[in-house]
């Protein structure tokens, strides 16, 4: 499983590194298992490109994709679903059997098929995503889709509606030294098995998000909040000492509430997703799916993330369309105080705590902050 998590996070990091500073949210684990399933079924250069994107040998990729879907399905705060729809005239190879909970038939009537697939997306994301990104046409032969939702309440809620703040004794903040300069990260723990890591820095957005991945994986040196020197020590960080009733250090975290949505055309980033050769519609690329020649005609993701005083929720639908307290004591102490303020723009990563899998990655520009 560790190899699967590492490979999935690596693809998510490459995708995050393309962020141009516009508010966005992307769910690598929504796309990665689908690419893994397709890699096993592909042939020729397309198989090699998909395997490179997935980061695993193509022969083992389908098993790893199923393994990741099982992990997501077992997570307390995550809901995951896989859907497969095919035309009646497309006979699937029995050896290619995606673990799809939903299997359906494309009737050839685009409007009817679209309504059913959109209804599936809405049902599987509790209404957060209303449409599947694939637009069904009369030429569509197969649609493979995933739906991913993640929800958690905060262990320590925030005060406020548009500007959120809280003070806790949990100093889960740090400054990381990266080759491109320091970044500040703060972790907001969920009651369930999800943490949201906020990140900011003076670098371009793609570099800031990539630095967050590197920091979580231990590739950059860090100074934790309880070891930061007095003064302004990192982007958005101030440390000072004051007389207090308790010697315990505290962290004041401030940020805007935000909601970001995004629609991604994965074909715009063929190198990230290995979708260059397999979009050539002059021939088939997936003999492992069936004898009928198939090529990728559409690949997209619709995603949403919301962060407010009570908790966090995110959802993504990814699809590939184939054409085919007590009284205070009287003694006082000199106590450490750390304030971390995130002002748009900044980034975020929602992480499945037990496995380290990055579920969603995003960027909040000034227009998205509440």
């Amino acid at each position: 499983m560790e190899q699967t998590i590492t490979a999935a996070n690596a693809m998510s990091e490459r995708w995050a590194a393309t962020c141009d500073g516009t508010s966005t949210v992307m769910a690598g684990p929504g796309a990665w298992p689908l690419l893994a399933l397709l890699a096993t079924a592909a042939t020729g250069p397309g198989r090699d490109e998909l395997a490179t994107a997935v980061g695993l040998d193509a022969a083992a990729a389908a098993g790893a994709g199923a393994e990741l879907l099982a992990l997501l399905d077992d997570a307390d705060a995550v809901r995951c679903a896989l859907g497969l729809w095919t035309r009646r005239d497309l006979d699937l190879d029995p050896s290619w059997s995606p673990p799809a909970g939903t299997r359906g038939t494309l009737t050839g009537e685009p409007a009817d098929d679209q309504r059913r697939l959109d209804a599936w997306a809405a049902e599987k994301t509790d209404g957060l995503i209303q449409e599947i990104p694939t637009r069904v046409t009369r030429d569509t032969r197969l649609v493979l889709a995933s739906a991913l939702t993640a929800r958690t309440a905060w262990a320590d809620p925030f005060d406020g509606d548009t500007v959120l703040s809280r003070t806790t004794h949990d100093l889960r903040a740090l400054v990381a030294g990266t080759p491109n300069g320091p970044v500040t990260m703060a972790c907001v723990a969920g009651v369930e098995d999800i943490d949201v890591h906020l990140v900011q820095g003076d670098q371009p957005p793609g570099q800031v998000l990539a630095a967050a991945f590197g920091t979580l994986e231990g590739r950059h040196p860090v100074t934790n909040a309880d070891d930061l020197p007095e003064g302004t020590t990192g982007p958005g960080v101030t440390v000072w000492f004051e007389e207090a009733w308790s010697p315990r250090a505290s962290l004041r975290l401030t940020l805007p509430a935000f909601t970001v949505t995004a629609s991604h055309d994965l074909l715009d980033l063929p190198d990230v997703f290995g979708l260059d050769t397999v979009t050539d519609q002059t021939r088939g690329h997936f003999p492992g799916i069936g004898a009928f020649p198939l090529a990728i005609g559409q690949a997209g993701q619709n995603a949403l993330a919301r962060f407010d005083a009570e908790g966090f929720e995110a959802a993504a639908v990814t699809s590939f369309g184939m054409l085919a307290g007590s009284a205070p004591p009287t003694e006082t102490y000199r106590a450490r105080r750390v304030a971390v303020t995130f002002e748009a723009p900044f980034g975020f990563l929602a992480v499945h705590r037990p496995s380290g899998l990055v579920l969603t990655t995003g960027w909040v520009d000034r227009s998205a902050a509440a």
Side-chain angles (χ1 to χ4, degrees), residues 355-368:
S355 68
L357 178 68
V358 178
L359 299 168
T360 58
T361 311
W363 191 256
V364 180
D365 69 14
R366 289 178 176 82
S367 68

Side-chain angles (χ1 to χ4, degrees), residues 64-98:
E67 184 180 42
L68 190 70
L69 290 168
L71 169 72
L72 294 170
D73 194 47
D74 289 341
D76 293 340
V78 181
R79 180 184 177 195
C80 183
L82 188 71
L84 175 67
W85 298 264
T86 60
R87 285 277 294 267
R88 289 191 178 89
D89 56 358
L90 180 64
D91 293 326
L92 296 181
D93 189 312
S95 65
W96 190 73
S97 182

